[in-house]
Amino acid sequence: MTELESLGLAEQAKPSGARIGAGRPSVDVKARTGAYVLAVDLRVDGLTVARVGLGGVVQARATGPVPAGHDPEAIASSVVELMRLVVKDVDPGAALVGVGVGVPGIIRAEDGLVRLAPNLGWRDVPFAKILASRLGPVAAPVLGNDADLGALAEHLRGAGVGVEDLVYLSGEVGVGAGVIVSGHKLEGAGGYAGEIGHMPFLPDGKLCHCGAHGCWETEIGAEAIALAIGCPPERVGALGEFLEGVHDAPDDLRLVGRHLGRGLAGVVNLLNPRVIVLGGYLRSLFPLVHDDVESELAVHALIAPRELVRVTLPGLGGDSVLHGAAELAFEPLLADPVGCLAVACVDVDAALAV
């Protein structure tokens, strides 16, 4: 922080809450100059790109559809088009210091290879390399799993500020979990921990996009929710709007709620978190099935860890993953301000013209 201040990049701000571990976040600082990152939230049914300044300030954003067929090359081109929109009014001389991308899949951290993103139909896709080829001299993009980034953002800025043990559930077409344990991200041997949507749930259940039967996400993901409320399959991308129009949960939706609660009981028993944050479509689902979720937790969660946990909605609304991607992109600046600024891109319009 002292180095950032000496460079005129930031100044101390009143802390928003206790900060515990999990890297060096850009919290408790106030931006003073034009250092910014580009953050990308890539979902199965939509794209969001934002220009984000220090302190998590979203300066501009643009959204768009995901190209049909989820072709990685086409998606990369769409991402760059949205980037052009969010930088068109950037202050002259402002420095782009990083690009962060949240992807709903298993990411190899060292090179951004998407090992598996079943709901995109991707397997061993070098998406970081594909996107980098379109960015010219812009900082190399860094990829992260969407749920991991949601957990990071909620831990630093949202519902989990000051909480050392947190689980963030990203409930989109698929379901993933980002886990913070004792203030640190739970990664696993290969960095692939958190694929909780593929936890075996019903032995003779529905076929999942991963190829297995009975995964948890087949019972609580977007397709299950859409079926329960009569949302047409082709309108799943507007599922949040459909849920907003539901006032009394039908029996089928309450069953989804019970499946959610039973799975959460397993999370509580296994990880003993203080906070479970429900993101994605689960954010709209939870208020409708709150009692069903709580009843299953009461039956299936052990008393001791159940007494300690709070199930809640994201403090960052629908932007948890986007903010997490921004934090990921800011990490090089926070680790080495001088070195990062030395290679930062100022003429971003020329770079995105590649």
Side-chain angles (χ1 to χ4, degrees):
M1 181 63 206
T2 301
E3 196 168 6
L4 288 174
E5 288 181 297
S6 67
L7 292 170
L9 285 172
E11 61 184 355
Q12 293 278 7
K14 184 178 180 180
S16 57
R19 176 172 65 81
I20 307 295
R24 300 178 60 189
S26 56
V27 295
D28 303 335
V29 298
K30 182 179 179 181
R32 294 182 62 187
T33 67
Y36 69 94
V37 299
L38 295 177
V40 181
D41 182 3
L42 165 57
R43 304 183 184 185
V44 174
D45 52 15
L47 291 169
T48 301
V49 175
R51 187 177 84 233
V52 183
L54 279 164
V57 178
V58 176
Q59 301 169 347
R61 73 166 66 214
T63 60
V66 173
H70 298 138
D71 176 66
E73 300 279 352
I75 289 177
S77 296
S78 295
V79 167
V80 173
E81 288 300 318
L82 294 177
M83 287 179 172
R84 291 193 180 102
L85 293 177
V86 301
V87 301
K88 66 181 180 180
D89 60 348
V90 70
D91 291 338
L96 172 59
V97 297
V99 176
V101 184
V103 177
I106 300 173
I107 313 298
R108 192 165 70 189
E110 61 263 28
D111 59 2
L113 180 74
V114 181
R115 295 300 312 274
L116 179 65
N119 294 304
L120 289 172
W122 291 4
R123 185 181 296 273
D124 291 330
V125 172
F127 190 68
K129 182 177 180 180
I130 292 170
L131 183 57
S133 70
R134 287 162 169 75
L135 296 181
V138 172
V142 182
L143 269 59
N145 170 266
D146 58 347
D148 287 341
L149 296 181
L152 173 65
E154 289 295 325
H155 174 58
L156 301 178
R157 301 188 183 285
V161 172
V163 176
E164 291 190 328
D165 297 275
L166 172 147
V167 176
Y168 174 87
L169 254 63
S170 174
E172 300 291 341
V173 173
V175 177
V179 183
I180 304 291
V181 177
S182 297
H184 299 278
K185 173 187 169 185
L186 179 66
E187 297 182 335
Y192 308 140
E195 290 300 317
I196 201 166
H198 300 290
M199 175 178 66
F201 190 72
L202 292 178
D204 300 317
K206 305 168 188 173
L207 177 65
C208 182
H209 291 286
C210 74
H213 283 83
C215 293
W216 190 30
E217 72 176 41
T218 65
E219 302 300 328
I220 67 166
E223 292 180 3
I225 298 171
L227 183 63
I229 63 174
C231 172
E234 65 273 14
R235 298 293 309 281
V236 168
L239 184 56
E241 298 174 17
F242 276 84
L243 283 168
E244 288 176 3
V246 176
H247 302 292
D248 295 315
D251 289 343
D252 287 348
L253 192 64
R254 294 188 60 190
L255 178 60
V256 174
R258 291 195 293 275
H259 287 320
L260 174 59
R262 193 174 307 134
L264 290 180
V267 172
V268 169
N269 294 343
L270 179 64
L271 297 173
N272 185 201
R274 281 279 185 182
V275 173
I276 297 175
V277 183
L278 301 180
Y281 296 126
L282 300 180
R283 180 168 60 99
S284 300
L285 171 69
F286 184 54
L288 297 170
V289 296
H290 176 275
D291 291 345
D292 299 286
V293 172
E294 291 294 333
S295 66
E296 291 296 313
L297 280 169
V299 171
H300 296 287
L302 296 173
I303 293 176
R306 175 68 185 96
E307 291 175 342
L308 297 174
V309 72
R310 173 169 55 94
V311 181
T312 189
L313 302 180
L316 299 171
D319 284 345
S320 303
V321 175
L322 197 67
H323 278 283
E327 292 293 338
L328 187 66
F330 267 124
E331 285 182 357
L333 176 69
L334 297 172
D336 180 13
V338 174
C340 185
L341 287 173
V343 297
C345 179
V346 175
D347 189 3
V348 71
D349 286 334
L352 293 177
V354 173

